Amino acid sequence: MDTAPSAQPLTSTTPAAPNRRRVATAAALASAVEWYDYFVFGIAAALVLGDLYFPAGSSTAGVLASFATFAVGFLARPLGGIVAGQLGDKRGRKPMLVLALTLMGVATTGIGLLPTYETIGVAAPILLVLLRIAQGVAVGAQWGGAMLLATEYAPEGKRGIYGSVVQLGVPIGVVTANTVFLLAGAFTSDAAFTAWGWRVPFLVGLFVLALAWYIHTRVEETPEFREAERALAEKEKGEQASPLRTILRSHLGTVLLAGGSFAVNTATFYILITGVLDYTTRELDMDKGPVLTVSLCVSLTQLVLIPVSAALSDRLGRIRIYALGAIGIALWAVPLFLLIDTGSLLWLAVGTFVASCFLSIMYGPQAALFAELFTPEMRYTGASLGYQIAAVAGGGLAPFMMVLLLEATDTSMSVSAYIIALSVIALISIKILATRARSR
């Protein structure tokens, strides 16, 4: 039976404010550059990868193949979460974050340098899939490390707002990825963009390696992990259980509920930034530049809404704010695609902006909520697994499912129904988590 503990109090070793700010900044930057590297693949998958690496068959088949490769990264994320969680709960948060950043920098740069199908044949898509798997492992390992660096350094009563600096990495990554792609498209012709311009955003991944070195040399381990490490050191070695074994034996229900509560958020997010990009440019004949600009501007609003919702969760409770966002996503699923289907850039902006608001309301408190579901000695493993299960069930399959649903039903309302179904799962999961929290 699942017996997930309640939120753990901060220890007396809480560091001084300047050190907290440095760590929070490092965690936010780590999240931003990691998600940037991850998102450039999604944009490239919608725009060019299908033709360059999967040229056989129709344009729809090429897009499906590139989105399937995009989804492979999500399938690899739980592996990154498990390995980094195990080592992060035993060896520390910082080393795993440094390792994740290094792997992501190498994989993203490798994609930018990878020859196409025309040059090396079938080896090209195989290598692309392998590099995408490496990206998935890296981002699966990164989120837990960055999130715990921020939340475990947080002063009392501010875990939500500190956790939100890591969540800000997502909109920052989206904005940066879209901006770099827009600049690459603006300064190259269509032919040049297809030939080499799309590679430029991937080569920016080299900067991740510099950030990994900075964190390795300038950031200290979190005080809560040091306390947990001392507590574990007092036990006999034979009594120490693997964090993963403990999670699977006693807290699997909490992990699954956490994943179920968040799948709708990550699915809707990836539908907006990749699925809608493909749908509007391929099916509605809208220009990619203006659509990317809308995505960029909408993501900018999240930079305000995410910390605001996180701060509200510090005052009003995580579950209450989190559930409000899930309800909003469900209610907006149908109007969202009715507006997109008009083919109007204005209504596209309105529809995605409102959807983004609900995503931000839910995403802001999510880091602190997941951290508080587990004790420090198993927190990296438990929180990472919950997050990555949601990523696989929601985000990884969402763009692929969107294309399949549109092809099978010839109506975008099938995509709305998909989002609503995930919203129902989220609200049931949230309700059970809230009931368990009250009983504790």
Side-chain angles (χ1 to χ4, degrees):
M1 184 177 69
D2 186 74
T3 54
S6 58
Q8 300 299 304
L10 290 169
T11 68
S12 60
T13 57
T14 300
N19 194 33
R20 286 201 304 263
R21 287 193 292 270
R22 182 171 70 250
V23 172
T25 301
L29 287 173
S31 178
V33 298
E34 189 93 351
W35 285 115
Y36 164 84
D37 283 1
Y38 199 69
F39 291 148
V40 291
F41 192 101
I43 297 173
L47 296 178
V48 296
L49 294 186
D51 292 334
L52 294 176
Y53 291 92
F54 308 95
S58 66
S59 60
T60 299
V63 171
L64 281 171
S66 63
F67 277 163
T69 306
F70 178 70
V72 164
F74 287 83
L75 296 176
R77 282 170 61 167
L79 175 61
I82 289 170
V83 173
Q86 281 278 92
L87 296 175
D89 282 329
K90 289 186 174 182
R91 306 298 180 189
R93 312 337 188 175
K94 186 182 81 168
M96 292 303 100
L97 180 57
V98 171
L99 181 61
L101 288 168
T102 303
L103 179 60
M104 179 62 86
V106 171
T108 304
T109 304
I111 293 171
L113 298 174
L114 184 64
T116 64
Y117 186 94
E118 185 179 5
T119 304
I120 61 173
V122 71
I126 291 173
L127 290 172
L128 183 66
V129 170
L130 291 176
L131 289 169
R132 181 58 179 171
I133 289 172
Q135 280 193 319
V137 171
V139 83
Q142 172 273 145
W143 182 79
M147 180 270 290
L148 293 178
L149 271 184
T151 57
E152 291 187 347
Y153 264 99
E156 187 173 359
K158 293 188 177 180
R159 198 182 289 244
I161 191 65
Y162 268 70
S164 73
V165 303
V166 174
Q167 309 297 72
L168 287 175
V170 170
I172 292 173
V174 173
V175 168
T176 309
N178 277 284
T179 300
V180 175
F181 264 102
L182 281 169
L183 291 174
F187 287 98
T188 60
S189 64
D190 288 346
F193 179 83
T194 302
W196 60 268
W198 69 270
R199 298 181 181 275
V200 174
F202 287 91
L203 298 179
V204 176
L206 287 168
F207 291 106
V208 180
L209 301 176
L211 179 60
W213 177 252
Y214 173 84
I215 293 175
H216 174 67
T217 57
R218 299 294 301 275
V219 174
E220 298 177 1
E221 190 53 79
T222 72
E224 284 198 42
F225 174 77
R226 292 197 298 267
E227 285 292 311
E229 190 176 38
R230 282 192 285 269
L232 287 172
E234 294 174 0
K235 296 181 180 180
E236 290 295 326
K237 259 190 173 181
E239 296 177 1
Q240 293 184 23
S242 156
L244 179 61
R245 191 178 302 119
T246 301
I247 287 290
L248 294 179
R249 185 176 63 240
S250 303
H251 309 293
L252 181 58
T254 298
V255 169
L256 294 176
L257 287 170
S261 74
F262 193 61
V264 65
N265 187 288
T266 187
T268 306
F269 174 77
Y270 283 102
I271 284 172
L272 291 181
I273 69 164
T274 58
V276 168
L277 177 59
D278 167 65
Y279 179 58
T280 53
T281 55
R282 186 167 57 88
E283 298 290 342
L284 302 182
D285 294 323
M286 298 176 71
D287 292 334
K288 71 174 183 293
V291 174
L292 282 171
T293 302
V294 166
S295 179
L296 186 154
C297 293
V298 167
S299 295
L300 286 172
T301 64
Q302 293 183 305
L303 298 177
V304 176
L305 292 172
I306 286 175
V308 168
S309 65
L312 286 174
S313 79
D314 284 330
R315 294 174 175 269
L316 304 177
R318 314 276 184 236
I319 291 290
R320 186 175 299 174
I321 302 301
Y322 195 64
L324 178 63
I327 292 169
I329 293 171
L331 294 177
W332 190 247
V334 170
L336 168 63
F337 277 95
L338 290 176
L339 292 173
I340 291 173
D341 284 344
T342 64
S344 163
L345 197 65
L346 173 62
W347 290 121
L348 169 68
V350 171
T352 54
F353 168 73
V354 176
S356 179
C357 289
F358 291 124
L359 292 177
S360 300
I361 290 170
M362 195 176 183
Y363 197 55
Q366 184 253 343
L369 175 64
F370 278 30
E372 290 168 350
L373 292 174
F374 306 95
T375 52
E377 66 272 12
M378 67 184 76
R379 185 172 287 158
Y380 202 137
T381 302
S384 292
L385 272 179
Y387 188 95
Q388 303 313 333
I389 285 172
V392 173
L397 295 175
F400 186 83
M401 284 294 297
M402 179 175 173
V403 175
L404 283 182
L405 288 169
L406 289 170
E407 286 293 308
T409 65
D410 201 31
T411 173
S412 61
M413 290 299 99
S414 60
V415 184
S416 297
Y418 173 60
I419 294 173
I420 291 170
L422 290 175
S423 299
V424 172
I425 294 172
L427 290 169
I428 292 171
S429 300
I430 292 168
K431 175 66 175 175
I432 297 172
L433 285 172
T435 300
R436 291 184 174 188
R438 284 194 297 269
S439 68
R440 288 194 298 270

